[in-house]
């Protein structure tokens, strides 16, 4: 989204732009698959059930916001050869303190949430099998083993298959409910019905927006993209991924508008809303469509699980490496696929994998403690404005080579995203059970 040249004036080795090709697409698909979880799909369904097609325009704007954010993350990594956490550390010690607390508490609570979300559709598909807690533990262990023993190339292929399943299922269901084409196009005109402000902000900022957006740069490096010669490829990869995400959102809005809005059916918030939708689809279209939808639900949930297991563990490994380097006064090597490969085998990477998997299993039997809910909610709500505003800071400073700094469009999009996420942050904090 930035107005920058395609090559560096420094003429660094390997700086000639790479030829764009579909075979290069990958990191964007990974970050999009990870960011779109079951809870996001339910939130979109509920928006469609309450307001029909009216908020379609918000889904389109949300897609543009995510493209801008992910492009900024990827551009920082490629233009500077430094990771995002390396950039954050130059802004002051407060960023290290925030991230240290956030990544520990967020990982503990998210681990239980991801395992439960992945287990729900399996329980619905096999009601006579093991219970929710057993399946949750199994999915967590499968995710742990898969990420522990596989490098990025295999991980990317599996994520591509999962997002392919999600895409086919969601679009198929949207077609089955027979969308109203006229109302769909009318929904592209910006309108705010009464009581729709929070749903509108949620649609723009919510779907596909998590800590894994910050992991995009690490996946870019893991792919082997390590300098500005890959800038054009990265941008195409990013746009393809978030246009795909936009199609998900539009398809789920259509399902909400046609299947729920017209029948005045209300879904439960959270992952269980998709189980209810499965039952509605079975009543309307038969068991085959319902089971197919549950397979898509599993693909959405499990792709988020292994995406976080991989991406946030990489961020944690980088965090530990840079804290150690600062303590010892050592130089940190530039980002590269070889370095990411070593980090995937490092003790911090695997320690965080274990942290995401085993301690959260205790929450499957316990209600989340009040203090933990509050801390998780506040820290999590602050992350997206933290990401948008620090990128705005980094990409307008001397930390970024001049030719790759923000243009007016990138500044406008990141500024709007930062403001949007601040409003959502305040709203999320207000809704916590104080």
């Amino acid at each position: 989204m930035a107005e920058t040249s395609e090559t560096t004036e420094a003429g660094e080795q390997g700086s000639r732009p790479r030829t764009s090709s579909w075979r290069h697409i990958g990191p964007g698909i990974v970050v999009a698959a990870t960011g779109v979880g079951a809870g996001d799909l339910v939130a979109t369904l509920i928006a469609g059930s309450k307001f029909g097609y009216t908020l379609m325009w918000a889904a389109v704007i949300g897609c543009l916001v995510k493209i801008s954010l992910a492009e900024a993350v990827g551009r920082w990594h490629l233009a500077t050869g430094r990771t995002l956490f390396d950039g954050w550390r130059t802004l002051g010690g407060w960023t290290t303190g925030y991230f240290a607390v956030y990544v520990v508490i967020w990982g503990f609570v998210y681990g239980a949430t991801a395992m439960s979300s992945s287990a729900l559709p399996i329980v619905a598909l096999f009601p006579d099998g093991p219970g929710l807690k057993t399946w949750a533990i199994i999915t967590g262990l499968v995710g742990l083993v898969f990420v522990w023993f596989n490098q990025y190339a295999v991980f990317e292929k599996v994520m591509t298959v999962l997002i392919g399943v999600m895409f086919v299922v969601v679009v198929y269901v949207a077609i089955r409910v027979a969308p109203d084409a006229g109302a769909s196009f009318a929904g592209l005109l910006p309108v705010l019905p009464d009581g729709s402000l929070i749903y509108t902000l949620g649609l723009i900022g919510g779907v596909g927006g998590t800590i894994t957006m910050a992991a995009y740069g690490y996946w870019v490096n893991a792919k082997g993209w390590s300098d500005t010669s890959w800038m054009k490829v990265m941008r195409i990869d990013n746009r393809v991924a978030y246009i795909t995400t936009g199609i998900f959102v539009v398809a789920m809005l259509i399902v909400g508008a046609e299947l729920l809005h017209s029948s005045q059916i209300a879904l439960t918030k959270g992952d269980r809303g998709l189980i209810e939708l499965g039952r509605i689809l079975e009543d309307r279209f038969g068991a085959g469509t319902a089971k197919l939808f549950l397979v898509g639900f599993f693909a959405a949930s499990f792709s988020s699980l292994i995406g976080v297991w991989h991406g946030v563990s990489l961020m944690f490994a980088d965090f530990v490496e840079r804290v150690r380097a600062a303590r010892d006064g050592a130089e940190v090597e530039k980002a590269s696929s070889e370095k990411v490969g070593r980090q995937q085998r490092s003790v911090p990477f695997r320690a965080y994998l274990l942290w995401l998997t085993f301690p959260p299993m205790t929450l499957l039997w316990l209600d989340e403690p009040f203090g933990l809910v509050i801390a998780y909610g506040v820290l999590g709500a602050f992350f997206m404005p933290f990401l948008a505003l620090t990128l705005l800071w980094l990409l307008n400073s001397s930390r970024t080579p001049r030719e790759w700094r923000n243009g007016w469009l990138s500044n406008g999009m990141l500024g709007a995203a930062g403001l949007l996420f601040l409003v959502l942050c305040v709203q999320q904090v207000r809704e916590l059970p104080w």
Side-chain angles (χ1 to χ4, degrees):
M1 300 296 292
E3 304 74 51
T4 52
S5 62
E6 292 295 348
T7 59
T8 64
E9 293 174 7
E12 61 194 49
Q13 186 177 4
S15 63
R16 179 176 297 177
R18 308 281 176 159
T19 303
S20 302
S21 170
W22 287 105
R23 65 187 173 84
H24 291 313
I25 301 299
I29 294 295
V30 170
V31 76
T34 305
V36 180
D40 296 306
L41 297 182
V42 173
T44 308
L45 275 171
I46 291 175
S49 70
K50 286 181 175 290
F51 303 105
Y53 292 95
T54 312
L55 300 182
M56 191 77 76
W57 63 273
V60 175
I61 292 177
C63 181
L64 296 176
V65 167
K66 302 307 183 308
I67 288 173
S68 300
L69 274 169
E71 189 275 344
V73 172
R75 177 156 45 94
W76 166 265
H77 275 247
L78 295 180
T80 66
R82 302 161 76 185
T83 65
L84 188 54
F85 184 76
D86 205 12
W88 285 339
R89 290 196 71 251
T90 68
L91 302 180
W94 65 275
T95 60
T96 301
Y98 166 70
F99 186 78
V101 176
Y102 171 71
V103 79
V104 171
I105 295 177
W106 182 88
F108 182 53
V109 179
Y110 180 82
T113 303
M115 287 186 272
S116 295
S117 179
S118 298
L120 273 171
I122 302 177
V123 172
L125 282 166
F126 306 104
D128 298 326
L132 180 68
K133 293 181 179 65
T134 302
W135 278 119
I137 291 171
I138 291 171
T139 57
L141 292 175
V142 169
L144 170 69
V145 171
F146 172 74
V147 174
W148 189 290
F149 290 105
N150 285 293
Q151 293 293 295
Y152 175 78
V154 176
F155 166 73
E156 182 190 286
K157 286 181 173 63
V158 171
M159 291 292 278
T160 302
V161 170
L162 289 172
I163 202 171
V165 172
M166 289 166 57
F167 186 88
V168 169
V169 169
V170 169
V171 171
Y172 168 75
V173 172
I175 292 171
R176 284 298 305 268
V177 300
D180 184 331
S184 298
F185 284 111
L188 295 175
L189 296 174
V191 176
L192 273 179
D194 290 342
S196 68
L197 178 60
I198 298 304
Y199 290 95
T200 303
L201 292 174
L203 269 180
I204 295 173
V207 181
T210 69
I211 187 176
T212 52
M213 291 202 74
Y216 178 57
Y218 293 85
W219 286 324
V220 161
N221 293 148
K223 183 75 169 175
W225 306 347
S226 56
D227 57 43
T228 55
S229 67
W230 291 101
M231 197 70 77
K232 184 177 181 181
V233 175
M234 179 275 294
R235 285 171 170 162
I236 293 172
D237 170 72
N238 171 43
R239 289 165 191 169
V240 168
Y242 278 99
I243 288 171
T244 303
T245 302
I247 294 172
F248 285 148
V249 178
V250 167
M252 292 306 278
L253 267 177
I254 288 170
V255 174
E258 292 293 340
L259 202 59
L260 307 177
H261 180 68
S262 58
S263 306
Q264 296 298 299
I265 298 171
L267 286 186
T268 303
K269 289 184 178 180
D271 299 348
R272 291 187 181 276
L274 293 183
I275 298 296
E276 295 176 19
L277 179 62
R279 297 192 187 107
I280 294 167
L281 287 170
E282 183 170 4
D283 292 340
R284 179 89 171 263
F285 301 111
T289 298
K291 289 186 184 302
L292 183 64
F293 176 76
L294 290 172
V295 171
F297 176 4
F298 173 76
S301 298
F302 192 66
S303 63
S304 293
L305 186 151
I306 61 174
V308 165
W309 264 229
H310 189 275
V312 184
S313 296
L314 268 181
M315 293 183 69
F316 183 76
D318 186 54
F319 164 75
V320 172
E321 180 178 335
R322 274 156 175 72
V323 168
R324 286 175 176 171
R327 181 194 63 195
D328 300 337
E331 283 288 323
V332 178
E333 67 176 291
K334 287 199 167 188
S336 66
S337 58
E338 293 78 13
K339 181 179 178 181
V340 172
R342 289 196 301 275
Q343 286 178 330
Q344 287 177 105
R345 298 186 294 272
S346 69
V347 171
F349 180 89
R350 290 179 169 175
Y352 195 74
L353 263 181
L354 296 172
W355 175 252
L356 280 168
T357 307
F358 291 106
M361 289 179 183
T362 60
L363 295 180
L364 297 174
W365 280 270
L366 302 171
D367 289 331
E368 294 170 10
F370 174 78
L372 189 61
V373 171
I374 298 298
Y376 174 77
V378 172
L379 289 166
F382 184 61
F383 184 81
M384 289 305 287
F386 169 79
L387 176 63
L389 296 175
T390 53
L391 283 170
L392 200 60
W393 189 348
L394 290 169
L395 292 168
N396 281 290
S397 71
S398 59
R399 298 170 181 85
T400 304
R402 182 175 297 277
E403 60 269 30
W404 297 110
R405 291 178 198 167
N406 278 359
W408 65 268
L409 181 57
S410 287
N411 278 328
M413 293 299 290
L414 286 178
L419 182 62
L420 165 70
F421 290 126
L422 277 174
V423 173
L424 284 172
C425 174
V426 171
Q427 180 63 27
Q428 285 177 263
V429 171
R430 286 178 58 194
E431 291 178 354
L432 290 171
W434 294 99

